[in-house]
Amino acid sequence: MHHTALAGRPGAGPSLAVSLVLVAIVCAFTGLCYAELASMIPIAGSAYTYTYATMGELIAWIIGWDLILEYAFSNMAVCVGFAGHTVALLDWFGIHPSPRWISPAYLPSGLQDLQGNVLYASGWHFGFNVPAFLIVMLLTVVLVRGIRESAETNNIMVLLKIAAILLFIAVGAQFIHPANWHPFYPNGWSGFLTGGSIMFFTYIGFDSVSTAAEECKNPQRDVPIGILATLVICTLLYIGVAIVLTGLIKWSALVDDAAPIVNTLKKVYLGHPSAALDWTRLAIIIGAMLGMISSILVFQIGQARVWFAMSRDRLLPTVFSRVHPRFRTPNVSTWVAGFVVGVPAGFLDIGTFSDLSNIGTLFAFVLVSAGVLILRYKDPNRRRGFRCPGGPVFPVLSILFCVLLMAGLPIITWLRFFIWLAIGLVIYYFYSRKRSEFASRS
């Protein structure tokens, strides 16, 4: 899960904590649907695999194309967030590169320094976010050479990230100004819904718990506990961060900030200079960067595997399923995934990326939840290691709430999403359907 999208956005003021609870409930419904499909379809992986088995090739293509959007844009957003924290780390050491090479070329809200001085007006400017590009390229090299994720290493990264979050909450709580929470709902119900839609990005990745369903000793018990416990813990942490962050500074000052927590702490430090606060900021920067490196790695692996799986099913050119002769990794799809993420991350802002990632994820969740209902109708006697409780209630609620959250996203996001789907359907109609396994059998 990510925390870079906790930056304030239009419609997401101090009521952000309430929006986070709504999103967690929706994710719980969807997570249980994922768990049922994962326990039936033993190929660990993604919604692409599940929809191929339940809804056929066309829907599988749509969801695969959608997953490329989800994984790519979520990682672009994380890379921009990582770059923002890199800048904060350099600043801590007194190094101040030219903003031209450490900020996106497109800045919808412009760029200001911590004193509020305008560095760039809103819109495009000549520049490139070099740290965002470099981090994904470095990790792409690592992935091509082969990386076996160590559970122990990952657990250490998670613990360090949680420690950084708790440290921020503990220290930041001492400098809260309650006046920053008023008004609590600055943009009314529409702002609450939009905030929930935007904050959905922070929960991307919870569904990975369901992919281990086949390995559980008691999936009926372990899978729902794992999913719900993950959501509860993350929601509590997110709420704590949201309450403290919006108490430290007015929510409108956080708009499109790629590193809102550390930048806010810098402002607090400038007002209350102390060595303890300065070292706290450094610890939080490092903890956040480690967490984002872990997220980028996982989602780059996921994106490359989607390219690989679709190529293996002959829906994409076979070059994407080529395996490196020495490292035995899908090197072509990994490099493609790296450049697909790295280049745009240098040009665009975190808000654009998170919005497109949100709509792609919500759309995938709708299809997965529908897949549960379809399989229960088409194949009711098939063995299910885990069955989503409540009959059709949770899958239906998952679909309805996901559509509701999608409705809260900006119109421009919908237009970009439909353009992306249209491009995918053109590729499928003129290329993929003529080469797929089903076409070769006919």
Side-chain angles (χ1 to χ4, degrees):
M1 295 188 181
H2 309 310
H3 66 272
T4 53
L6 286 175
R9 297 285 308 285
S15 57
L16 176 59
V18 184
S19 299
L20 287 165
V21 175
L22 169 66
V23 175
I25 293 171
V26 177
C27 288
F29 295 152
T30 308
L32 294 174
C33 294
Y34 261 95
E36 179 168 329
L37 284 182
S39 70
M40 296 173 63
I41 303 168
I43 302 174
S46 66
Y48 168 75
T49 303
Y50 305 152
T51 50
Y52 209 126
T54 58
M55 302 184 193
E57 183 180 272
L58 175 60
I59 303 299
W61 165 265
I62 293 174
I63 199 67
W65 191 247
D66 176 68
L67 283 173
I68 292 173
L69 175 78
E70 173 193 339
Y71 288 150
F73 278 83
S74 65
N75 250 3
M76 290 174 199
V78 177
C79 289
V80 174
F82 181 89
H85 286 77
T86 301
V87 173
L89 182 63
L90 293 174
D91 174 73
W92 194 90
F93 287 104
I95 302 171
H96 304 97
S98 168
R100 187 180 304 278
W101 307 116
I102 57 175
S103 60
Y106 177 65
L107 296 164
S109 303
L111 183 66
Q112 301 83 32
D113 60 19
L114 294 177
Q115 287 73 38
N117 301 314
V118 177
L119 301 177
Y120 290 110
S122 60
W124 289 91
H125 71 95
F126 178 73
F128 189 76
N129 196 340
V130 175
F133 176 79
L134 285 182
I135 184 59
V136 73
M137 288 295 103
L138 288 172
L139 294 180
T140 298
V141 172
V142 172
L143 291 175
V144 168
R145 293 184 64 86
I147 178 172
R148 295 185 178 274
E149 285 191 282
S150 165
E152 184 177 347
T153 303
N154 190 57
N155 288 341
I156 292 173
M157 282 191 170
V158 170
L159 289 174
L160 289 173
K161 181 163 62 173
I162 292 175
I165 292 172
L166 293 175
L167 181 62
F168 167 73
I169 294 172
V171 174
Q174 303 174 41
F175 301 94
I176 285 176
H177 298 286
N180 289 328
W181 291 328
H182 300 288
F184 193 79
Y185 285 94
N187 295 298
W189 166 252
S190 63
F192 171 71
L193 180 60
T194 302
S197 304
I198 293 170
M199 288 309 106
F200 201 88
F201 172 74
T202 62
Y203 286 93
I204 293 175
F206 80 90
D207 51 289
S208 61
V209 176
S210 68
T211 62
E214 288 292 316
E215 302 171 32
C216 294
K217 293 181 179 179
N218 187 351
Q220 291 90 340
R221 181 199 65 188
D222 298 340
V223 172
I225 289 176
I227 290 173
L228 297 178
T230 299
L231 290 171
V232 168
I233 293 170
C234 289
T235 301
L236 291 175
L237 292 174
Y238 289 158
I239 289 174
V241 171
I243 290 174
V244 172
L245 186 59
T246 54
L248 290 174
I249 192 171
K250 202 68 176 177
W251 69 272
S252 55
L254 299 167
V255 173
D256 289 321
D257 189 342
I261 293 174
V262 295
N263 288 337
T264 299
L265 279 178
K266 176 67 179 292
K267 294 176 183 178
V268 172
Y269 169 75
L270 292 176
H272 306 82
S274 72
L277 196 56
D278 200 27
W279 282 101
T280 296
R281 187 166 67 97
L282 177 63
I284 291 173
I285 291 171
I286 294 173
M289 291 178 73
L290 288 174
M292 283 184 274
I293 287 173
S294 175
S295 296
I296 295 169
L297 272 173
V298 170
F299 276 89
Q300 283 303 100
I301 291 173
Q303 187 191 173
R305 295 311 183 270
V306 171
W307 288 88
F308 179 84
M310 294 179 73
S311 172
R312 188 176 52 192
D313 293 334
R314 299 176 60 81
L315 295 178
L316 288 176
T318 54
V319 66
F320 292 116
S321 54
R322 185 177 298 168
V323 175
H324 194 282
R326 177 184 172 190
F327 302 124
R328 308 307 300 167
T329 58
N331 57 315
V332 175
S333 59
T334 301
W335 275 114
V336 169
F339 280 103
V340 163
V341 169
V343 174
F347 288 106
L348 299 177
D349 67 298
I350 193 169
T352 300
F353 293 142
S354 60
D355 283 349
L356 280 167
S357 177
N358 284 331
I359 197 169
T361 305
L362 287 164
F363 184 69
F365 286 0
V366 167
L367 291 182
V368 167
S369 302
V372 171
L373 297 174
I374 291 172
L375 266 185
R376 286 185 181 180
Y377 175 77
K378 290 172 56 179
D379 199 356
N381 298 321
R382 185 168 179 169
R383 180 187 173 276
R384 289 164 170 80
F386 168 78
R387 178 181 286 270
C388 183
V393 175
F394 283 177
V396 170
L397 286 175
S398 173
I399 294 171
L400 293 177
F401 277 111
C402 285
V403 171
L404 178 65
L405 288 174
M406 290 172 74
L409 290 167
I411 294 296
I412 187 64
T413 301
W414 279 91
L415 292 175
R416 291 166 177 164
F417 179 62
F418 284 133
I419 290 172
W420 176 260
L421 287 183
I423 293 171
L425 288 174
V426 169
I427 294 173
Y428 175 79
Y429 183 80
F430 289 103
Y431 178 82
S432 302
R433 72 185 183 96
K434 299 177 181 179
R435 298 182 66 258
S436 71
E437 291 185 21
F438 290 121
S440 61
R441 293 172 188 169
S442 58

mmCIF file of all heavy atoms in Angstrom, residues 73 76-77 79-81 103-108 124 127-129 132 258 341-353 356 416:
data_model
loop_
_atom_site.group_PDB
_atom_site.id
_atom_site.type_symbol
_atom_site.label_atom_id
_atom_site.label_comp_id
_atom_site.label_asym_id
_atom_site.label_seq_id
_atom_site.Cartn_x
_atom_site.Cartn_y
_atom_site.Cartn_z
ATOM 1 N N PHE A 73 0.503 3.573 -13.750
ATOM 2 C CA PHE A 73 0.247 4.912 -13.221
ATOM 3 C C PHE A 73 0.399 4.973 -11.708
ATOM 4 O O PHE A 73 0.787 6.018 -11.167
ATOM 5 C CB PHE A 73 -1.136 5.395 -13.662
ATOM 6 C CG PHE A 73 -1.145 5.962 -15.051
ATOM 7 C CD1 PHE A 73 -1.236 5.133 -16.156
ATOM 8 C CD2 PHE A 73 -1.023 7.319 -15.252
ATOM 9 C CE1 PHE A 73 -1.226 5.646 -17.443
ATOM 10 C CE2 PHE A 73 -1.009 7.856 -16.533
ATOM 11 C CZ PHE A 73 -1.110 7.011 -17.635
ATOM 12 N N MET A 76 4.078 5.336 -11.373
ATOM 13 C CA MET A 76 4.505 6.685 -11.752
ATOM 14 C C MET A 76 4.288 7.642 -10.582
ATOM 15 O O MET A 76 5.149 8.473 -10.279
ATOM 16 C CB MET A 76 3.714 7.158 -12.976
ATOM 17 C CG MET A 76 4.046 6.439 -14.272
ATOM 18 S SD MET A 76 2.926 6.981 -15.590
ATOM 19 C CE MET A 76 3.109 5.622 -16.767
ATOM 20 N N ALA A 77 3.128 7.531 -9.939
ATOM 21 C CA ALA A 77 2.829 8.399 -8.802
ATOM 22 C C ALA A 77 3.811 8.165 -7.658
ATOM 23 O O ALA A 77 4.291 9.111 -7.028
ATOM 24 C CB ALA A 77 1.394 8.168 -8.331
ATOM 25 N N CYS A 79 6.847 6.998 -7.931
ATOM 26 C CA CYS A 79 8.159 7.514 -8.352
ATOM 27 C C CYS A 79 8.243 9.019 -8.162
ATOM 28 O O CYS A 79 9.277 9.542 -7.727
ATOM 29 C CB CYS A 79 8.418 7.157 -9.817
ATOM 30 S SG CYS A 79 8.743 5.403 -10.103
ATOM 31 N N VAL A 80 7.164 9.737 -8.488
ATOM 32 C CA VAL A 80 7.145 11.184 -8.264
ATOM 33 C C VAL A 80 7.231 11.473 -6.767
ATOM 34 O O VAL A 80 7.934 12.398 -6.336
ATOM 35 C CB VAL A 80 5.874 11.810 -8.872
ATOM 36 C CG1 VAL A 80 5.787 13.291 -8.519
ATOM 37 C CG2 VAL A 80 5.865 11.635 -10.389
ATOM 38 N N GLY A 81 6.529 10.669 -5.955
ATOM 39 C CA GLY A 81 6.624 10.825 -4.511
ATOM 40 C C GLY A 81 8.025 10.541 -4.002
ATOM 41 O O GLY A 81 8.539 11.246 -3.123
ATOM 42 N N SER A 103 11.670 18.487 -10.591
ATOM 43 C CA SER A 103 10.220 18.658 -10.564
ATOM 44 C C SER A 103 9.646 18.290 -11.928
ATOM 45 O O SER A 103 10.351 18.364 -12.943
ATOM 46 C CB SER A 103 9.845 20.102 -10.209
ATOM 47 O OG SER A 103 10.379 21.005 -11.146
ATOM 48 N N PRO A 104 8.371 17.866 -11.980
ATOM 49 C CA PRO A 104 7.771 17.485 -13.266
ATOM 50 C C PRO A 104 7.707 18.668 -14.227
ATOM 51 O O PRO A 104 7.661 19.834 -13.814
ATOM 52 C CB PRO A 104 6.358 17.020 -12.870
ATOM 53 C CG PRO A 104 6.425 16.735 -11.402
ATOM 54 C CD PRO A 104 7.453 17.665 -10.851
ATOM 55 N N ALA A 105 7.682 18.364 -15.518
ATOM 56 C CA ALA A 105 7.557 19.415 -16.527
ATOM 57 C C ALA A 105 6.153 20.022 -16.514
ATOM 58 O O ALA A 105 5.960 21.175 -16.894
ATOM 59 C CB ALA A 105 7.871 18.864 -17.912
ATOM 60 N N TYR A 106 5.169 19.221 -16.055
ATOM 61 C CA TYR A 106 3.791 19.716 -15.976
ATOM 62 C C TYR A 106 3.411 19.901 -14.517
ATOM 63 O O TYR A 106 3.444 18.952 -13.726
ATOM 64 C CB TYR A 106 2.819 18.746 -16.653
ATOM 65 C CG TYR A 106 1.375 19.174 -16.530
ATOM 66 C CD1 TYR A 106 0.918 20.345 -17.141
ATOM 67 C CD2 TYR A 106 0.461 18.417 -15.798
ATOM 68 C CE1 TYR A 106 -0.400 20.746 -17.027
ATOM 69 C CE2 TYR A 106 -0.865 18.808 -15.690
ATOM 70 C CZ TYR A 106 -1.297 19.976 -16.301
ATOM 71 O OH TYR A 106 -2.601 20.379 -16.182
ATOM 72 N N LEU A 107 3.070 21.129 -14.156
ATOM 73 C CA LEU A 107 2.727 21.465 -12.771
ATOM 74 C C LEU A 107 1.372 22.169 -12.763
ATOM 75 O O LEU A 107 1.291 23.380 -12.988
ATOM 76 C CB LEU A 107 3.794 22.374 -12.155
ATOM 77 C CG LEU A 107 5.190 21.755 -12.011
ATOM 78 C CD1 LEU A 107 6.230 22.847 -11.772
ATOM 79 C CD2 LEU A 107 5.193 20.751 -10.866
ATOM 80 N N PRO A 108 0.280 21.425 -12.548
ATOM 81 C CA PRO A 108 -1.058 22.036 -12.622
ATOM 82 C C PRO A 108 -1.281 23.120 -11.578
ATOM 83 O O PRO A 108 -2.098 24.017 -11.782
ATOM 84 C CB PRO A 108 -1.996 20.845 -12.398
ATOM 85 C CG PRO A 108 -1.171 19.821 -11.715
ATOM 86 C CD PRO A 108 0.221 19.999 -12.240
ATOM 87 N N TRP A 124 2.927 23.920 -18.137
ATOM 88 C CA TRP A 124 4.162 23.270 -18.572
ATOM 89 C C TRP A 124 5.359 24.210 -18.424
ATOM 90 O O TRP A 124 5.229 25.425 -18.567
ATOM 91 C CB TRP A 124 4.052 22.840 -20.033
ATOM 92 C CG TRP A 124 3.120 21.691 -20.252
ATOM 93 C CD1 TRP A 124 1.783 21.766 -20.532
ATOM 94 C CD2 TRP A 124 3.439 20.302 -20.209
ATOM 95 N NE1 TRP A 124 1.247 20.507 -20.661
ATOM 96 C CE2 TRP A 124 2.240 19.579 -20.473
ATOM 97 C CE3 TRP A 124 4.615 19.585 -19.976
ATOM 98 C CZ2 TRP A 124 2.192 18.204 -20.507
ATOM 99 C CZ3 TRP A 124 4.565 18.203 -20.012
ATOM 100 C CH2 TRP A 124 3.374 17.521 -20.266
ATOM 101 N N GLY A 127 11.748 21.198 -18.224
ATOM 102 C CA GLY A 127 12.362 20.495 -17.110
ATOM 103 C C GLY A 127 12.064 19.004 -17.175
ATOM 104 O O GLY A 127 11.343 18.529 -18.074
ATOM 105 N N PHE A 128 12.619 18.269 -16.238
ATOM 106 C CA PHE A 128 12.419 16.821 -16.195
ATOM 107 C C PHE A 128 12.725 16.350 -14.779
ATOM 108 O O PHE A 128 13.731 16.758 -14.173
ATOM 109 C CB PHE A 128 13.340 16.122 -17.191
ATOM 110 C CG PHE A 128 13.050 14.655 -17.375
ATOM 111 C CD1 PHE A 128 11.962 14.232 -18.119
ATOM 112 C CD2 PHE A 128 13.862 13.695 -16.790
ATOM 113 C CE1 PHE A 128 11.698 12.882 -18.300
ATOM 114 C CE2 PHE A 128 13.604 12.345 -16.962
ATOM 115 C CZ PHE A 128 12.517 11.939 -17.726
ATOM 116 N N ASN A 129 11.852 15.493 -14.244
ATOM 117 C CA ASN A 129 12.027 14.996 -12.882
ATOM 118 C C ASN A 129 13.029 13.835 -12.898
ATOM 119 O O ASN A 129 12.650 12.665 -12.966
ATOM 120 C CB ASN A 129 10.667 14.540 -12.327
ATOM 121 C CG ASN A 129 10.692 14.387 -10.825
ATOM 122 O OD1 ASN A 129 11.741 14.252 -10.215
ATOM 123 N ND2 ASN A 129 9.513 14.403 -10.216
ATOM 124 N N ALA A 132 12.808 10.820 -10.275
ATOM 125 C CA ALA A 132 11.702 9.895 -10.538
ATOM 126 C C ALA A 132 12.069 8.914 -11.644
ATOM 127 O O ALA A 132 11.712 7.727 -11.588
ATOM 128 C CB ALA A 132 10.447 10.675 -10.912
ATOM 129 N N ALA A 258 4.114 16.293 -3.586
ATOM 130 C CA ALA A 258 4.534 14.895 -3.718
ATOM 131 C C ALA A 258 5.146 14.348 -2.437
ATOM 132 O O ALA A 258 5.277 13.140 -2.284
ATOM 133 C CB ALA A 258 5.527 14.753 -4.868
ATOM 134 N N VAL A 341 6.982 3.496 -17.299
ATOM 135 C CA VAL A 341 6.804 4.210 -16.031
ATOM 136 C C VAL A 341 7.776 5.377 -15.913
ATOM 137 O O VAL A 341 7.399 6.493 -15.534
ATOM 138 C CB VAL A 341 6.986 3.245 -14.830
ATOM 139 C CG1 VAL A 341 7.069 4.014 -13.518
ATOM 140 C CG2 VAL A 341 5.847 2.247 -14.779
ATOM 141 N N GLY A 342 9.052 5.149 -16.242
ATOM 142 C CA GLY A 342 10.093 6.134 -15.973
ATOM 143 C C GLY A 342 9.962 7.423 -16.762
ATOM 144 O O GLY A 342 10.115 8.524 -16.197
ATOM 145 N N VAL A 343 9.682 7.340 -18.055
ATOM 146 C CA VAL A 343 9.632 8.551 -18.884
ATOM 147 C C VAL A 343 8.470 9.468 -18.488
ATOM 148 O O VAL A 343 8.682 10.666 -18.235
ATOM 149 C CB VAL A 343 9.580 8.173 -20.378
ATOM 150 C CG1 VAL A 343 9.375 9.430 -21.230
ATOM 151 C CG2 VAL A 343 10.864 7.458 -20.786
ATOM 152 N N PRO A 344 7.224 8.967 -18.407
ATOM 153 C CA PRO A 344 6.135 9.859 -17.970
ATOM 154 C C PRO A 344 6.342 10.417 -16.563
ATOM 155 O O PRO A 344 5.924 11.541 -16.277
ATOM 156 C CB PRO A 344 4.889 8.968 -18.033
ATOM 157 C CG PRO A 344 5.240 7.884 -18.987
ATOM 158 C CD PRO A 344 6.704 7.639 -18.786
ATOM 159 N N ALA A 345 6.985 9.622 -15.681
ATOM 160 C CA ALA A 345 7.222 10.095 -14.313
ATOM 161 C C ALA A 345 8.092 11.345 -14.299
ATOM 162 O O ALA A 345 8.044 12.125 -13.347
ATOM 163 C CB ALA A 345 7.872 8.993 -13.474
ATOM 164 N N GLY A 346 8.878 11.549 -15.341
ATOM 165 C CA GLY A 346 9.696 12.739 -15.418
ATOM 166 C C GLY A 346 8.939 13.968 -15.864
ATOM 167 O O GLY A 346 9.400 15.101 -15.656
ATOM 168 N N PHE A 347 7.753 13.776 -16.472
ATOM 169 C CA PHE A 347 7.037 14.901 -17.064
ATOM 170 C C PHE A 347 5.788 15.340 -16.297
ATOM 171 O O PHE A 347 5.461 16.525 -16.286
ATOM 172 C CB PHE A 347 6.622 14.558 -18.502
ATOM 173 C CG PHE A 347 7.769 14.528 -19.473
ATOM 174 C CD1 PHE A 347 8.260 13.325 -19.949
ATOM 175 C CD2 PHE A 347 8.365 15.704 -19.904
ATOM 176 C CE1 PHE A 347 9.321 13.292 -20.841
ATOM 177 C CE2 PHE A 347 9.427 15.679 -20.795
ATOM 178 C CZ PHE A 347 9.908 14.473 -21.268
ATOM 179 N N LEU A 348 5.074 14.377 -15.685
ATOM 180 C CA LEU A 348 3.756 14.700 -15.136
ATOM 181 C C LEU A 348 3.751 14.697 -13.610
ATOM 182 O O LEU A 348 4.663 14.188 -12.968
ATOM 183 C CB LEU A 348 2.711 13.719 -15.674
ATOM 184 C CG LEU A 348 2.541 13.723 -17.201
ATOM 185 C CD1 LEU A 348 1.544 12.667 -17.627
ATOM 186 C CD2 LEU A 348 2.105 15.100 -17.694
ATOM 187 N N ASP A 349 2.666 15.248 -13.052
ATOM 188 C CA ASP A 349 2.567 15.431 -11.609
ATOM 189 C C ASP A 349 1.907 14.232 -10.947
ATOM 190 O O ASP A 349 1.296 13.377 -11.608
ATOM 191 C CB ASP A 349 1.755 16.687 -11.291
ATOM 192 C CG ASP A 349 0.293 16.524 -11.696
ATOM 193 O OD1 ASP A 349 0.033 16.332 -12.914
ATOM 194 O OD2 ASP A 349 -0.583 16.556 -10.828
ATOM 195 N N ILE A 350 1.975 14.162 -9.627
ATOM 196 C CA ILE A 350 1.480 13.014 -8.879
ATOM 197 C C ILE A 350 -0.041 12.892 -8.954
ATOM 198 O O ILE A 350 -0.587 11.794 -8.958
ATOM 199 C CB ILE A 350 1.943 13.102 -7.401
ATOM 200 C CG1 ILE A 350 1.715 11.773 -6.679
ATOM 201 C CG2 ILE A 350 1.278 14.263 -6.672
ATOM 202 C CD1 ILE A 350 2.381 11.714 -5.315
ATOM 203 N N GLY A 351 -0.754 14.017 -9.048
ATOM 204 C CA GLY A 351 -2.215 13.968 -9.069
ATOM 205 C C GLY A 351 -2.767 13.301 -10.307
ATOM 206 O O GLY A 351 -3.692 12.487 -10.231
ATOM 207 N N THR A 352 -2.203 13.629 -11.465
ATOM 208 C CA THR A 352 -2.658 13.017 -12.721
ATOM 209 C C THR A 352 -2.482 11.511 -12.674
ATOM 210 O O THR A 352 -3.375 10.752 -13.080
ATOM 211 C CB THR A 352 -1.859 13.599 -13.908
ATOM 212 O OG1 THR A 352 -2.065 15.010 -13.962
ATOM 213 C CG2 THR A 352 -2.303 12.966 -15.217
ATOM 214 N N PHE A 353 -1.353 11.055 -12.161
ATOM 215 C CA PHE A 353 -1.073 9.625 -12.104
ATOM 216 C C PHE A 353 -2.011 8.906 -11.154
ATOM 217 O O PHE A 353 -2.537 7.835 -11.465
ATOM 218 C CB PHE A 353 0.376 9.395 -11.666
ATOM 219 C CG PHE A 353 1.396 9.855 -12.666
ATOM 220 C CD1 PHE A 353 2.573 10.459 -12.257
ATOM 221 C CD2 PHE A 353 1.186 9.685 -14.020
ATOM 222 C CE1 PHE A 353 3.526 10.882 -13.170
ATOM 223 C CE2 PHE A 353 2.126 10.105 -14.951
ATOM 224 C CZ PHE A 353 3.296 10.704 -14.524
ATOM 225 N N LEU A 356 -5.670 8.407 -12.557
ATOM 226 C CA LEU A 356 -5.798 7.346 -13.562
ATOM 227 C C LEU A 356 -5.588 5.974 -12.941
ATOM 228 O O LEU A 356 -6.231 5.001 -13.336
ATOM 229 C CB LEU A 356 -4.805 7.583 -14.700
ATOM 230 C CG LEU A 356 -5.255 8.620 -15.730
ATOM 231 C CD1 LEU A 356 -4.105 9.027 -16.631
ATOM 232 C CD2 LEU A 356 -6.414 8.092 -16.558
ATOM 233 N N ARG A 416 -9.781 10.297 -20.218
ATOM 234 C CA ARG A 416 -8.487 9.637 -20.442
ATOM 235 C C ARG A 416 -8.629 8.126 -20.335
ATOM 236 O O ARG A 416 -7.997 7.372 -21.098
ATOM 237 C CB ARG A 416 -7.467 10.152 -19.428
ATOM 238 C CG ARG A 416 -7.054 11.593 -19.643
ATOM 239 C CD ARG A 416 -6.317 12.152 -18.440
ATOM 240 N NE ARG A 416 -5.856 13.518 -18.654
ATOM 241 C CZ ARG A 416 -5.472 14.333 -17.688
ATOM 242 N NH1 ARG A 416 -5.489 13.914 -16.428
ATOM 243 N NH2 ARG A 416 -5.069 15.551 -17.962
#
